[in-house]
Amino acid sequence: MQASLSSRPNIACRSQFAAGAAATSKRSRCSSVVVAGLATEKDNPFAEELKANAKHISRRGRGILASDESNATTGKRLETIGVDNTEDNRRDWRQLLYTAPDLGNYISGAIMFEETLYQKSREGVQFVDLLKEQGILPGIKVDTGLQVLPGTDGETTTQGLDNLGARCEAYYKQGARFAKWRAVLKISEGEGPSSQAILENAHGLARYAQIAQQNGLVPIVEPEVTLGPGAYSIEETAYWSERVYSHVMRLLNEYDVLLEGILLKPNMCLPGLDAPSASPAEVAKYTVRTMMRTIPPSVPGIHFLSGGMSEEESTLNLQALQDACPNSPWSLTFSYGRALQSATLKTWQGKEENWGKAQAILTALAKANSEAQLGQYKGPHPAPGGGRILQALRFGGAGK
Ligand code: 13P
């Protein structure tokens, strides 16, 4: 489908930003912006579906279960409980998660890795169908991992644009209705992400979001200013997060991404790992301020990653966000991986007799976060105390 130029008044040359300040000619910059018009609301046959699915996933009292670890990272996690990294064991682990009783009361979407999207339960039922039975929309991680940017101090860009359109089309056919692409930005002592890393990652996220929407998948846009070592302050994290998100939103706009049909997955603002920790009220103050300054109200849901926070910390901080912003224009909610899976995995230990207990922990964690999303969490927490969950953050180049 081609965008009609006449339906796009004055879009050509409206910015030099998308093409960068590089020495591209004015003519070629203009044409690249015109091509981006393919993804506009008017031209996209999926527009209404994208809006409806984004709204469905981010409705109040619901969040996302992030279970899209690559096979390598899943292997690292299974290793911690002495379980081998085989396809069958990965299937069992995901089956435990997706069939937890009542999970659909608190979880509206589950992000999967490609293997899992096509996998069946032990009984031969497609995982996508098991999820749909619980009212949970299946999602798919579509990036293919991080690559170091040459000439930087270990900063990264995210790969996966090659064949992305064809892959998204196939994922939609298999039942996926949303996608995820994770970009990682680092703060080191006294220094934030470079302009190169910010621009490159914003560009990747915008191109991905445009392609996902063209193929009917709601893009989760994940610019993670990652929690790392160092004594940097919460103010620094807020400052750099603001820079990163404002660039991302600018590029989404340049690429005509339909904002009502995306979900944002950012980090909460936390101080560095070697700095004194911040209270939930402080985390909420800086996180809400950052969102208010950068994210338009047309974005339906802001689904925070847990990013290494403990299970209880993730819930308390989520609750504090609602207190700090009771009438938020977006749903301030969760898309947690480790904060939902860690205690569940420890309880399971790969043993059949622990299956039900592990599922009960997962549902209880999801319920606690659902209550926190509604500002109604009162405790006690199903996984109280506990330290940061920093193990097996990411493994190799192929994913988180
Ligand atoms: P964590 O909640 O473990 O940070 O994972 C969420 C996620 O999907 C990061 O890409």
Side-chain angles (χ1 to χ4, degrees):
M1 187 178 48
Q2 284 294 320
S4 91
L5 268 184
S6 55
S7 68
R8 305 282 301 131
N10 295 328
I11 57 166
C13 301
R14 64 185 168 170
S15 170
Q16 301 185 3
F17 195 89
T24 354
S25 75
K26 205 169 186 185
R27 187 171 293 279
S28 68
R29 278 209 303 270
C30 294
S31 58
S32 75
V33 173
V34 170
V35 171
L38 283 170
T40 59
E41 181 167 5
K42 187 171 173 299
D43 298 322
N44 189 332
F46 293 106
E48 292 310 313
E49 187 180 335
L50 291 167
K51 286 194 263 183
N53 283 339
K55 224 180 186 167
H56 176 82
I57 295 169
S58 60
R59 68 196 191 280
R60 306 284 158 149
R62 297 292 202 286
I64 293 173
L65 166 65
S67 56
D68 56 308
E69 297 83 3
S70 64
N71 290 349
T73 299
T74 306
K76 274 286 189 204
R77 304 235 169 122
L78 292 178
E79 196 181 297
T80 64
I81 57 161
V83 171
D84 289 342
N85 188 15
T86 63
E87 191 175 336
D88 281 357
N89 288 340
R90 291 192 295 271
R91 184 229 23 231
D92 284 357
W93 169 229
R94 263 59 185 256
Q95 180 164 347
L96 185 154
L97 300 176
Y98 301 153
T99 57
D102 298 329
L103 193 67
N105 292 342
Y106 316 109
I107 298 289
S108 50
I111 321 175
M112 306 163 103
F113 191 62
E114 191 179 54
E115 174 183 87
T116 326
L117 181 72
Y118 291 94
Q119 230 165 11
K120 291 180 178 158
S121 69
R122 291 172 186 173
E123 296 75 26
V125 185
Q126 291 266 353
F127 278 150
V128 289
D129 293 330
L130 283 176
L131 287 170
K132 283 190 220 150
E133 271 171 32
Q134 292 236 47
I136 299 173
L137 281 184
I140 173 76
K141 169 193 175 72
V142 299
D143 70 71
T144 56
L146 306 177
Q147 183 74 35
V148 171
L149 282 167
T152 68
D153 181 19
E155 292 186 290
T156 54
T157 183
T158 303
Q159 304 182 106
L161 289 174
D162 286 356
N163 301 325
L164 183 58
R167 286 194 290 124
C168 286
E169 195 182 343
Y171 297 148
Y172 183 93
K173 277 202 189 109
Q174 176 60 15
R177 288 296 176 268
F178 70 102
K180 169 188 138 172
W181 177 285
R182 175 172 176 261
V184 177
L185 288 307
K186 287 196 317 178
I187 304 177
S188 315
E189 210 77 57
E191 243 188 287
S194 64
S195 302
Q196 185 192 351
I198 292 176
L199 277 171
E200 167 61 28
N201 281 293
H203 170 266
L205 283 164
R207 277 289 290 137
Y208 139 76
Q210 185 188 52
I211 294 166
Q213 286 195 336
Q214 277 183 296
N215 289 283
L217 300 179
V218 171
I220 292 188
V221 173
E222 183 176 358
E224 175 179 354
V225 179
T226 194
L227 176 63
Y232 57 86
S233 64
I234 193 168
E235 286 91 346
E236 282 175 81
T237 305
Y239 173 82
W240 289 112
S241 299
E242 202 175 308
R243 282 191 83 112
V244 168
Y245 304 153
S246 57
H247 278 80
V248 169
M249 293 316 302
R250 176 75 189 270
L251 266 281
L252 292 176
N253 178 264
E254 291 291 341
Y255 283 72
D256 292 296
V257 170
L258 175 62
L259 295 187
E260 290 84 353
I262 71 162
L263 298 169
L264 188 78
K265 177 160 173 164
N267 51 285
M268 291 189 199
C269 293
L270 301 170
L273 287 170
D274 302 315
S277 59
S279 67
E282 259 181 300
V283 171
K285 176 179 135 189
Y286 285 103
T287 304
V288 165
R289 189 186 77 179
T290 304
M291 298 303 139
M292 284 294 202
R293 287 180 177 177
T294 56
I295 311 303
S298 47
V299 174
I302 301 182
H303 291 253
F304 293 93
L305 52 95
S306 58
M309 293 186 285
S310 78
E311 286 98 341
E312 190 168 18
E313 188 182 10
S314 311
T315 305
L316 294 176
N317 286 348
L318 187 61
Q319 164 100 352
L321 292 175
Q322 322 304 323
D323 298 340
C325 195
N327 297 311
S328 61
W330 350 259
S331 175
L332 290 168
T333 184
F334 62 95
S335 175
Y336 290 163
R338 282 163 284 171
L340 290 172
Q341 291 187 47
S342 229
T344 310
L345 186 72
K346 274 191 211 135
T347 308
W348 179 42
Q349 289 295 319
K351 298 198 170 100
E352 209 57 35
E353 64 266 28
N354 295 336
W355 186 273
K357 237 170 40 183
Q359 289 190 319
I361 282 274
L362 174 65
T363 302
L365 287 165
K367 181 169 185 277
N369 287 304
S370 158
E371 289 167 355
Q373 196 294 311
L374 295 167
Q376 294 166 1
Y377 170 74
K378 299 215 165 48
H381 201 271
R388 291 273 164 79
I389 315 170
L390 301 171
Q391 91 282 6
L393 252 181
R394 51 200 70 95
F395 182 66
K400 75 165 188 145

